[in-house]
Amino acid sequence: MKAAVFQGPGRIAWQDVPDPGVEDPADAIVRVDVVTLCGTDLHILKGDVPEVTPGRVLGHEAVGTVVETGRDVRTVRPGDRVLISCVTACGRCRFCREGRYGQCRGGGGWILGHTVDGTQAEYVRVPFADLSVHPLPSAVDGFGAVLLADIFPTAYEVGVLNGLVRPADTVVVVGAGPVGLAAIVTARLYSPGRIVAVDPDATRLEAARKLGADATVAAGEGPEQLVADLTDGLGADVVMEAVGLPETFETCTRMVRPGGRVANIGVHGRPATLHLEDLWIKDVTITTGLVDTTSTPMLLHMLAAGRLPAKDLVTHRFELGRMEEAYEVFGRAADTGALKVALGGPQHTAVQVPGPPAAA
């Protein structure tokens, strides 16, 4: 099959690799119908995630069709259309029993496209399939559903829930990329008083306004002063960091009010300074986290009911074989206006599943 293979920092290739097969009774083999690229993939290409070694098939988000399952898989079968979660859960370890799938110690967690081959391929092996794929209703569009593999649960769990967004809060989202935009959408579920989006890119700020931000400000045009003006100098109740840079994290800590919450969502590849000389007296809570995806079923229900504008974040579509071009467009988002890039071919209504041999 063909797959997007990491060749080392700055290099990726769409090339031939061996077909995946069932290696464990809990595995499912899924044909990839829609796949997307993530900001984390760009961090990998920059060399920010050293656990990803050359030769690894990238990707951790996809919608596909099950073509084979191990003997222990009970919840899906060949022919089922599924959402592949970015986080894999063994279901047995201490953290899985607490619903903290992102910290799975039984062989799961974030492994797809990280420590095992991922979803940016024609087929993918999904370990622990019963807890790691979600059946999709036929009416749910794959290009919207694929954003629930990672982007929306990450924004909701690591940003909104960790940040304890409440009615009437002033919420600031620093970074209006896909995760930041999803944080704006899901923060609105809790009726905050206002949402402020911060980003250097005018196109992304416009997308933030369309998706529910009440105020937007360019990163270089005084976001800290704007937040101070809007809150009578107090600061924001919740600030979400959705970029992954030392500068943006430090900006977040300067915009939060005493007793407020900073929810870090971004993937950081460099150290950030924690200014405890300023923060120790302010009763500020700072949270970090990897998504657990426990919210995915709820978000899927919202998507199916037409209450989640997931597909609005997809700005560019490509056929699967144009993976290298898709990376180029996504990596130059400031020039191309890309928010979320998705790849996939025509959706099939049937899957050929080998049957028993014909009688002689």
Side-chain angles (χ1 to χ4, degrees):
M1 68 172 185
K2 295 284 189 180
V5 179
F6 177 59
Q7 305 285 339
R11 294 181 292 124
I12 189 172
W14 181 250
Q15 64 182 58
D16 291 323
V17 299
D19 291 344
V22 170
E23 299 177 12
D24 184 274
D27 289 348
I29 306 300
V30 180
R31 185 194 67 208
V32 174
D33 297 325
V34 181
V35 67
T36 186
L37 311 185
C38 181
T40 303
D41 297 319
L42 297 183
H43 279 282
I44 291 171
L45 282 181
K46 292 177 183 177
D48 291 345
V49 188
E51 299 86 358
V52 181
T53 54
R56 176 68 63 219
V57 175
L58 297 182
H60 50 268
E61 308 161 89
V63 166
T65 305
V66 177
V67 296
E68 186 181 359
T69 58
R71 65 177 181 273
D72 290 348
V73 177
R74 297 288 182 269
T75 59
V76 294
R77 59 184 181 179
D80 286 350
R81 185 166 172 258
V82 296
L83 171 69
I84 300 173
S85 175
C86 67
V87 165
T88 303
C90 77
R92 298 185 295 268
C93 72
R94 166 187 171 174
F95 292 110
C96 283
R97 289 177 181 272
E98 296 174 358
R100 299 178 66 185
Y101 299 148
Q103 303 303 320
C104 175
R105 291 298 183 268
W110 173 38
I111 59 173
L112 290 173
H114 184 202
T115 58
V116 304
D117 287 340
T119 57
Q120 290 169 11
E122 293 176 322
Y123 293 86
V124 59
R125 179 181 71 91
V126 183
F128 306 115
D130 280 337
L131 282 174
S132 305
V133 301
H134 301 270
L136 282 182
S138 59
V140 173
D141 180 80
F143 284 93
V146 74
L147 297 191
L148 273 61
D150 182 358
I151 297 303
F152 270 87
T154 293
Y156 178 64
E157 294 174 18
V158 185
V160 176
L161 295 186
N162 281 0
L164 300 177
V165 175
R166 299 166 182 160
D169 275 354
T170 293
V171 176
V172 179
V173 179
V174 178
V179 172
L181 294 173
I184 291 169
V185 170
T186 51
R188 284 172 52 84
L189 300 175
Y190 292 84
S191 300
R194 63 172 68 88
I195 299 175
V196 181
V198 181
D199 197 277
D201 185 81
T203 300
R204 293 190 169 196
L205 291 178
E206 176 61 26
R209 285 189 288 271
K210 289 180 180 179
L211 290 168
D214 301 288
T216 59
V217 57
E221 296 181 359
E224 296 172 44
Q225 186 60 54
L226 174 64
V227 171
D229 292 343
L230 291 173
T231 60
D232 295 324
L234 189 64
D237 301 283
V238 182
V239 186
M240 303 183 202
E241 201 284 341
V243 182
L245 294 175
E247 300 83 3
T248 51
F249 174 78
E250 293 168 29
T251 296
C252 290
T253 63
R254 291 193 295 267
M255 288 193 290
V256 68
R257 67 164 171 82
R261 287 88 64 194
V262 175
N264 184 86
I265 314 172
V267 177
H268 288 263
R270 292 187 284 133
T273 301
L274 181 63
H275 288 282
L276 286 177
E277 73 278 12
D278 299 322
L279 295 171
W280 74 270
I281 201 170
K282 293 179 65 175
D283 296 346
V284 170
T285 299
I286 298 174
T287 59
T288 66
L290 177 66
V291 65
D292 295 312
T293 67
T294 52
S295 67
T296 303
M298 178 272 289
L299 294 170
L300 279 172
H301 281 298
M302 291 187 64
L303 183 68
R307 303 298 296 273
L308 203 64
K311 194 163 61 171
D312 292 352
L313 274 66
V314 177
T315 55
H316 293 72
R317 296 187 184 188
F318 297 89
E319 293 180 359
L320 195 59
R322 295 169 64 190
M323 185 69 68
E324 294 175 2
E325 181 182 353
Y327 262 96
E328 173 70 16
V329 169
F330 190 52
R332 296 190 302 107
D335 300 322
T336 63
L339 290 175
K340 199 66 174 167
V341 172
L343 302 95
Q347 298 299 304
H348 300 277
T349 58
V351 176
Q352 295 297 323
V353 179

